[in-house]
Amino acid sequence: MPNHQLTLRNRTRENFLFQKRLLVSIFIVCVASLLLVSRLVYLQIFQYNHYTTLSTSNDIDLHPIPPRRGLIFDRNGLLLATNRPAFNLVITPDKVENIDQMITRIKDILPLNDSDITLFKIQLDQHRRFDQVPLKLKLTPEEVAKFSVNRYLFPGVEVKAQLIRQYPLYNAFAHVIGYVGRINSQDLANVDPTNYAGTDFIGKVGIEKYYESQLHGTVGYEKVETNASGQTVRTISKMAAIKGEDLYLTIDTALQIAAEQALSNDRGAVVAIQPSTGQILALVSQPGYDPNLFVEGINDQNFQTLQNDQSFPLYNRALRGLFAPGSIIKPFIAIEGLDEKATTPSFELFDPGWYKVPGTEHLFHDWKLDGHGWVNITKAIIESCDTYFFDLAHKLGIKNIDLILQQFGFGQLTGIDMGEELPGNVPTPEWKLVHRGTAWYPGDTVQVGIGQGFLQITPLQLAVATATLANRGKHFKPYLLYQTSAPDGSITKQDPSEGDPVILKNPKNWETVINAMTKVIPEGTGYRFGQSKYSVAAKTGTAQLFSVKHDENNPNKVIPIRLRNNSTFIAFAPVDHPKIAIAVIDQNNTTAPEIARKVLDQYLIKERNL
Amino acid sequence: MIKTLLNRRFQRQESGTQYRTLWQLLHLDLPLLIGIVSLITFGFFILYSATNQQFSMVEQEIIHISLAALIMVFLAQIPPHVYQRWSPALFYLSLFLMVVVLIVGRIDKGAQRWISLGLFRFQPSELMKIAIPMMLAWYFTQHPLPPKLKHIGIAALIILIPAFLAAKEPDLGTAIILILSGICVLLFAGIRWRFVISLFTLITTSAPVLWHFLHGYQRERILTFINPERDPLGTGYHIIQSKIAIGSGGIFGKGWLLGTQSHLHFLPEHATDFIFAVCGEEFGLFGSLFLLLLYLAITAACFRIAQNAQDTYTRLLAGSIGLMFFISVFVNMGMVSGILPVVGLPLPLISYGGSSMITLMASFGILMSIQTHRKLWSQ
């Protein structure tokens, strides 16, 4: 007898239980129904007047109020990015039966080119049905008048005053501030789309992108009553938009423009930093471009021109230009050499014009074919003697070299508040094994000693390292945001951010190297700088390759530019309490020292009366 | 003549059953059928208005309903003992399909609710809406009622595993429906009230934990439900618009096809989830109450079938189908009138859309089968 059922079912009892539960269900149904009924009675009787008002033959429209984008100023309050009012033609898709027809009819009255229409169609997909989508920007007063007179023919289309971003200084700040452009679905995926209702623009590059959330503000909305032709009759309620924060950058405009003009038609980059804080005083990448072109949606022709320009104006050389530094790296190698006792201030080496790694036959040539004769470390820096540094590098070994270079920030991101930077490369034996498939040779080490070989840095890193050197080891993270001004007027200043300092075993080594650098201009390779009223510590150099990585379109394509006439230059001044540290790369000419001179003069003489 | 046809008595003695009227011959339950037909007819009028008089959409809906009706009639022919025997198999099949959907969906870009079967898309979670009550009903007939704790434990697994899979898709609305349908069966099975109370306490105390698991947009829905004005351009828009629509309908409504809110801003939701707003606007309080009455009539017909059912399986199944039907009506109307958060559940038999219609009509078919396969004497 199967015993899986120990108790017999009492069917009558089960049925009775069920009937009870059925009653419970009926009770639940009644209560719920009553709830619904009372809710309906509430809405349709008690609130009838209220809701009828809201839905009279006039339509209720919800208009988003886009917030005013924050302005951008330089450290002295000079305007760098602003919003200018413009009249734009906008369409609300929800109110238009056939958009293509509507556009054709609009063409009869206003000029519309194909790129306008294409851009509009793209925007259409990315907006909601009841958003207003711009069709044509910056109507002239005549066009505004012409449309307004005929507006009754175009329900769902209207002229709207909107703010358009403008950069009064055109190219000068293109590589710092970047630009805003028309918002697309990719952009919308990264933000809260409701906050961007009614906003057509979003930061795409540079500061505009990095600080987008502060600059944008918060959307507001107004509930308006509109009549049959869509005109606002009255405002029912309004929630004001909160404008974006105004940003003050650390850049000194006069300095930025001086650097831009000093570079003039040459390709290159200038980065100037305030050593005591890490604030960036100037950041220039030439050639630049006019960011205003991008705001409205740059037309294809202009964009192709910019993209195909072999000088790569869209490429930010200051943050992304990778080059093997050359002689400019020598002071950093020298510091390590002294500190690790691979050499001493008085040690002298004879330079015949070449160097051989002990035990090998390969000749490494000095730039001066017949050599510098007997050199100590000071003379080696002043005259930029390659042989001395080949020897020093060999004695130090790649591990020590890597260590000091990394401590000065090479091979890593600087952390600048703009993003978009490249870390460069401080080569290690492991790196070479992975990327080149071969072991590390002593010849590789000595190459790094004079800043060639696999070492790759950016102008920004160079400037930061120079600033650290100026500080005798104290390292500040470079930053561009000086302070922000909130809508309520309160100012929040950005504090400097100190990183890990470079600590020497013997601090006197700083002075040995710096002293040598002060003599580079009067006695050495830096003569082009000329004599200045203020004391300067400097170093000259020649970059081997300036490679431009086009990650966006061709991830693996690196275009090497062979340079013959080029120059690099680092300096800080005054030597004892440095106020400015600078790195200059000039790809076309030997004039880096002169460029640096102009910039330093501007800062120290014109502005600070030194 | 038609009357005589309808009332012609067919005398047949076959394994104890007697067919008496045409309706019983077809295995259709007349009261339920009348309720359904009335509701669907009224629904067509509302739909026609909600789609801005696009008859093509109404046509589509007629096709959906016809297909669903065929399924209903077909299922009504199958005697309940067949359903009882195949309940576990159906449940396991649905479970399997839900897992397949999740796996396949991962390969597809995010569309994790459908399996494409060539001509049409099939949603396994819809199948699960019938499969869970059937499985639970089957399970509870294995043991005497009221169910003990371990039975409830197994029942909980039967409910929660599919619900969990649904939530993973993610389809929180369906997951909740699945859980509710399971709870209905438990209710009818006679779960002791102390279990209910402890379950309720468990849910309320774990609410903060559950909040953590909600996606951003789901939290948005709940927060906006509490205060729709906080997001008038986003998720609050529908609630605000539908309250205006319903409220401005007043007692008598604005008249068929004359609703302004639903037309000046055409939103597809007006034909699907929010269609009740159109009814409220155009037919007023009278229309809304009339609609509610029709739904109550159908619910009553379902409960009548449950009461007349002759064994545990059929009772449980019939009762829970009826109660769940009413609950889905209540959830939708509550959402549209603003007393419940927006959960994206359609108004049964009226909202545009085929998938839920089929499931619903299928369950009505099962109900009719239960009613019309009764033996004249109880076991």
Side-chain angles (χ1 to χ4, degrees):
Chain A
M1 176 90 166
N3 58 356
H4 55 262
Q5 247 181 323
L6 293 172
T7 43
L8 290 172
R9 306 188 75 122
N10 186 338
R11 299 212 179 263
T12 323
R13 187 166 143 255
E14 283 189 10
N15 187 20
F16 184 60
L17 180 64
F18 177 77
Q19 301 295 337
K20 265 202 302 188
R21 290 307 170 95
L22 192 59
L23 278 175
V24 171
S25 310
I26 294 176
F27 176 70
I28 293 176
V29 168
C30 289
V31 167
S33 307
L34 227 63
L35 201 65
L36 274 175
V37 169
S38 41
R39 175 64 172 179
L40 288 171
V41 164
Y42 172 73
L43 285 179
Q44 292 179 308
I45 296 184
F46 290 104
Q47 292 277 293
Y48 173 62
N49 285 325
H50 171 62
Y51 285 117
T52 305
T53 313
L54 292 180
S55 99
T56 44
S57 53
N58 277 350
D59 191 11
I60 302 294
D61 239 349
L62 213 50
H63 287 158
I65 303 177
R68 193 214 70 173
R69 192 175 181 84
L71 307 179
I72 304 182
F73 301 92
D74 82 341
R75 65 189 301 127
N76 298 316
L78 204 77
L79 193 58
L80 301 177
T82 181
N83 308 305
R84 280 272 132 82
F87 288 108
N88 302 327
L89 194 67
V90 297
I91 302 187
T92 312
D94 186 52
K95 298 190 175 162
V96 176
E97 286 238 35
N98 188 327
I99 295 201
D100 290 314
Q101 254 181 32
M102 185 65 82
I103 293 181
T104 319
R105 291 200 293 137
I106 293 177
K107 261 183 163 168
D108 290 336
I109 303 197
L110 296 176
L112 282 178
N113 42 19
D114 290 327
S115 57
D116 284 335
I117 299 180
T118 321
L119 277 168
F120 169 73
K121 290 268 171 77
I122 296 173
Q123 297 272 293
L124 203 57
D125 282 331
Q126 291 156 7
H127 278 88
R128 289 180 291 193
R129 206 170 288 102
F130 35 87
D131 286 339
Q132 293 175 315
V133 184
L135 174 60
K136 188 174 162 70
L137 299 180
K138 290 194 189 160
L139 268 57
T140 65
E142 290 81 25
E143 288 168 345
V144 172
K146 224 174 170 187
F147 181 79
S148 302
V149 157
N150 291 303
R151 79 166 290 163
Y152 69 97
L153 289 172
F154 302 99
V157 187
E158 52 190 287
V159 169
K160 195 165 173 191
Q162 285 178 319
L163 292 175
I164 300 232
R165 197 65 154 172
Q166 215 203 37
Y167 305 102
L169 293 180
Y170 296 98
N171 300 35
F173 280 83
H175 285 289
V176 177
I177 298 185
Y179 52 84
V180 298
R182 297 251 205 150
I183 200 169
N184 61 31
S185 53
Q186 270 173 316
D187 300 316
L188 278 176
N190 296 329
V191 295
D192 174 14
T194 310
N195 199 22
Y196 281 79
T199 306
D200 297 313
F201 301 102
I202 193 170
K204 299 272 185 178
V205 168
I207 291 276
E208 292 271 35
K209 181 174 182 183
Y210 194 84
Y211 287 107
E212 169 68 26
S213 50
Q214 280 102 312
L215 286 168
H216 181 255
T218 313
V219 72
Y221 69 91
E222 59 178 357
K223 217 186 239 184
V224 296
E225 202 178 328
T226 56
N227 61 18
S229 36
Q231 283 175 316
T232 302
V233 169
R234 68 180 175 118
T235 308
I236 297 173
S237 66
K238 188 168 176 167
M239 176 145 101
I242 303 175
K243 64 181 182 183
E245 291 179 5
D246 292 334
L247 303 183
Y248 290 79
L249 301 182
T250 57
I251 305 259
D252 182 326
T253 304
L255 202 61
Q256 177 91 350
I257 293 185
E260 196 199 18
Q261 288 176 342
L263 265 175
S264 70
N265 291 325
D266 291 349
R267 297 173 309 215
V270 175
V271 181
I273 299 185
Q274 191 180 67
S276 53
T277 56
Q279 289 174 10
I280 299 199
L281 300 167
L283 189 114
V284 175
S285 170
Q286 287 283 66
Y289 57 91
D290 179 10
N292 290 299
L293 291 176
F294 284 85
V295 171
E296 298 160 38
I298 185 170
N299 69 39
D300 272 331
Q301 210 181 3
N302 279 341
F303 187 65
Q304 286 306 321
T305 313
L306 283 174
Q307 266 235 311
N308 294 331
D309 187 341
Q310 286 303 303
S311 313
F312 306 114
L314 296 174
Y315 197 79
N316 190 330
R317 287 164 161 79
L319 269 56
R320 297 172 70 85
L322 292 171
F323 63 108
S327 306
I328 217 124
I329 209 76
K330 287 173 182 161
F332 306 101
I333 306 284
I335 295 242
E336 180 73 348
L338 288 169
D339 217 45
E340 290 297 321
K341 300 220 173 80
T343 185
T344 67
S346 52
F347 168 75
E348 285 196 349
L349 178 80
F350 184 75
D351 170 25
W354 50 264
Y355 172 81
K356 256 200 245 183
V357 173
T360 72
E361 288 306 309
H362 182 256
L363 282 176
F364 290 96
H365 288 282
D366 194 304
W367 64 267
K368 198 169 179 198
L369 285 174
D370 34 326
H372 300 265
W374 286 100
V375 289
N376 61 9
I377 194 160
T378 305
K379 189 171 172 194
I381 290 176
I382 296 173
E383 296 191 11
S384 197
C385 171
D386 294 335
T387 308
Y388 186 94
F389 281 95
F390 282 137
D391 178 63
L392 183 57
H394 178 72
K395 287 176 181 153
L396 271 175
I398 189 65
K399 277 209 172 54
N400 283 322
I401 294 178
D402 283 344
L403 204 66
I404 194 64
L405 289 178
Q406 277 162 355
Q407 284 192 332
F408 272 100
F410 296 111
Q412 306 143 50
L413 299 173
T414 63
I416 189 175
D417 50 349
M418 210 176 115
E420 299 164 31
E421 55 170 334
L422 290 176
N425 184 39
V426 169
T428 64
E430 295 78 29
W431 174 89
K432 192 184 176 198
L433 202 59
V434 168
H435 286 85
R436 295 283 184 269
T438 53
W440 187 267
Y441 302 130
D444 298 326
T445 306
V446 304
Q447 290 268 37
V448 178
I450 62 160
Q452 287 171 10
F454 302 115
L455 182 59
Q456 297 245 287
I457 67 172
T458 64
L460 176 63
Q461 285 171 334
L462 190 56
V464 174
T466 309
T468 308
L469 182 57
N471 285 332
R472 280 74 172 171
K474 230 171 171 206
H475 169 229
F476 288 96
K477 197 163 97 158
Y479 64 100
L480 284 163
L481 184 63
Y482 182 66
Q483 66 189 24
T484 59
S485 173
D488 62 4
S490 61
I491 307 249
T492 311
K493 205 154 180 239
Q494 188 89 337
D495 288 324
S497 165
E498 212 182 317
D500 292 329
V502 179
I503 300 178
L504 295 186
K505 295 173 189 162
N506 181 0
K508 286 215 183 85
N509 292 328
W510 289 115
E511 297 313 319
T512 310
V513 171
I514 291 176
N515 272 331
M517 288 171 74
T518 57
K519 299 198 178 115
V520 167
I521 292 168
E523 296 171 24
T525 51
Y527 61 92
R528 300 185 87 107
F529 187 90
Q531 205 180 22
S532 58
K533 282 197 226 163
Y534 43 85
S535 58
V536 189
K539 182 73 190 77
T540 58
T542 307
Q544 189 76 348
L545 282 174
F546 203 159
S547 64
V548 175
K549 270 202 171 74
H550 268 241
D551 330 12
E552 298 81 36
N553 300 320
N554 286 316
N556 297 314
K557 195 172 178 194
V558 169
I559 306 160
I561 303 170
R562 293 241 155 254
L563 305 163
R564 273 189 218 110
N565 276 335
N566 68 80
S567 47
T568 59
F569 194 79
I570 57 171
F572 58 89
V575 176
D576 283 324
H577 295 285
K579 296 204 165 21
I580 180 170
I582 189 173
V584 178
I585 290 90
D586 184 338
Q587 291 175 248
N588 297 83
N589 262 311
T590 50
T591 50
E594 282 125 303
I595 295 171
R597 172 66 188 277
K598 289 191 187 135
V599 177
L600 290 179
D601 273 355
Q602 168 68 31
Y603 193 66
L604 293 169
I605 295 184
K606 295 209 182 106
E607 299 184 20
R608 261 135 233 279
N609 297 316
L610 274 174
Chain B
M1 207 194 100
I2 298 174
K3 203 167 179 195
T4 43
L5 189 70
L6 287 178
N7 288 325
R8 226 170 113 194
R9 298 179 182 239
F10 294 83
Q11 296 275 344
R12 262 223 263 177
Q13 297 269 350
E14 198 183 82
S15 47
T17 58
Q18 271 188 313
Y19 301 114
R20 293 178 66 214
T21 65
L22 177 68
W23 300 109
Q24 286 191 316
L25 182 65
L26 292 174
H27 287 288
L28 297 175
D29 178 56
L30 195 56
L32 186 58
L33 190 64
I34 292 178
I36 294 174
V37 169
S38 316
L39 185 69
I40 291 177
T41 312
F42 187 36
F44 279 139
F45 284 103
I46 305 176
L47 188 67
Y48 184 59
S49 177
T51 58
N52 260 345
Q53 300 177 42
Q54 284 177 4
F55 192 67
S56 57
M57 284 186 85
V58 181
E59 267 180 349
Q60 273 281 76
E61 192 66 359
I62 293 179
I63 294 175
H64 286 145
I65 289 183
S66 307
L67 178 68
L70 278 172
I71 293 178
M72 176 179 81
V73 172
F74 173 68
L75 291 182
Q77 311 304 314
I78 301 175
H81 64 79
V82 175
Y83 289 123
Q84 182 167 3
R85 232 183 87 202
W86 289 95
S87 294
L90 181 66
F91 177 73
Y92 292 127
L93 176 66
S94 310
L95 203 61
F96 173 70
L97 286 174
M98 285 190 82
V99 173
V100 167
V101 155
L102 272 180
I103 296 175
V104 167
R106 281 199 199 294
I107 305 169
D108 219 359
K109 262 190 305 179
Q112 289 178 337
R113 307 181 191 183
W114 310 88
I115 294 179
S116 212
L117 282 179
L119 283 175
F120 53 92
R121 288 184 299 185
F122 169 68
Q123 211 174 2
S125 48
E126 285 294 324
L127 191 59
M128 200 44 102
K129 287 183 188 173
I130 321 181
I132 289 186
M134 285 174 73
M135 178 68 178
L136 285 172
W138 172 85
Y139 178 67
F140 284 127
T141 39
Q142 307 300 99
H143 308 280
L145 301 175
K148 303 221 182 333
L149 184 61
K150 66 169 178 185
H151 304 315
I152 295 177
I154 307 262
L157 276 178
I158 295 177
I159 300 172
L160 289 174
I161 294 178
F164 175 72
L165 288 177
K168 278 233 118 197
E169 285 180 357
D171 189 354
L172 194 61
T174 304
I176 293 180
I177 289 286
L178 292 179
I179 295 177
L180 282 176
S181 63
I183 292 179
C184 285
V185 183
L186 283 176
L187 175 72
F188 281 112
I191 180 176
R192 290 249 177 282
W193 289 117
R194 56 170 173 260
F195 286 137
V196 176
I197 293 171
S198 38
L199 186 69
F200 188 66
T201 355
L202 184 70
I203 291 178
T204 33
T205 45
S206 60
V209 176
L210 290 176
W211 179 261
H212 173 73
F213 280 109
L214 286 178
H215 288 219
Y217 77 92
Q218 290 160 339
R219 296 186 196 185
E220 278 294 305
R221 288 245 177 100
I222 294 183
L223 290 173
T224 315
F225 155 66
I226 296 171
N227 178 19
E229 295 290 329
R230 78 185 267 282
D231 189 14
L233 294 177
T235 36
Y237 189 75
H238 292 315
I239 300 181
I240 296 174
Q241 286 300 312
S242 58
K243 283 202 290 191
I244 296 176
I246 297 176
S248 62
I251 300 184
F252 296 106
K254 293 178 185 166
W256 188 45
L257 301 179
L258 299 175
T260 51
Q261 291 312 106
S262 10
H263 297 290
L264 282 175
H265 289 284
F266 178 68
L267 297 165
E269 287 73 16
H270 273 202
T272 56
D273 297 352
F274 279 78
I275 198 169
F276 179 59
V278 179
C279 174
E281 185 180 23
E282 301 191 353
F283 300 111
L285 187 62
F286 270 146
S288 318
L289 291 182
F290 177 64
L291 188 68
L292 185 60
L293 212 66
L294 284 176
Y295 278 118
L296 287 175
I298 295 180
T299 311
C302 297
F303 282 162
R304 170 179 152 269
I305 293 176
Q307 192 187 41
N308 290 336
Q310 292 175 328
D311 65 72
T312 309
Y313 177 79
T314 47
R315 273 187 213 121
L316 290 179
L317 195 54
S320 56
I321 289 178
L323 188 58
M324 251 337 274
F325 174 73
F326 176 76
I327 288 178
S328 26
V329 171
F330 176 73
V331 165
N332 180 283
M333 286 191 180
M335 164 181 90
V336 174
S337 61
I339 55 177
L340 288 174
V342 175
V343 285
L345 290 175
L347 187 62
L349 294 179
I350 295 189
S351 278
Y352 180 80
S355 193
S356 55
M357 174 81 68
I358 291 180
T359 320
L360 197 55
M361 295 293 262
S363 44
F364 284 144
I366 296 176
L367 272 178
M368 293 198 180
S369 160
I370 292 173
Q371 172 74 353
T372 56
H373 280 97
R374 283 174 307 147
K375 304 185 190 343
L376 285 186
W377 51 88
S378 7
Q379 288 175 287

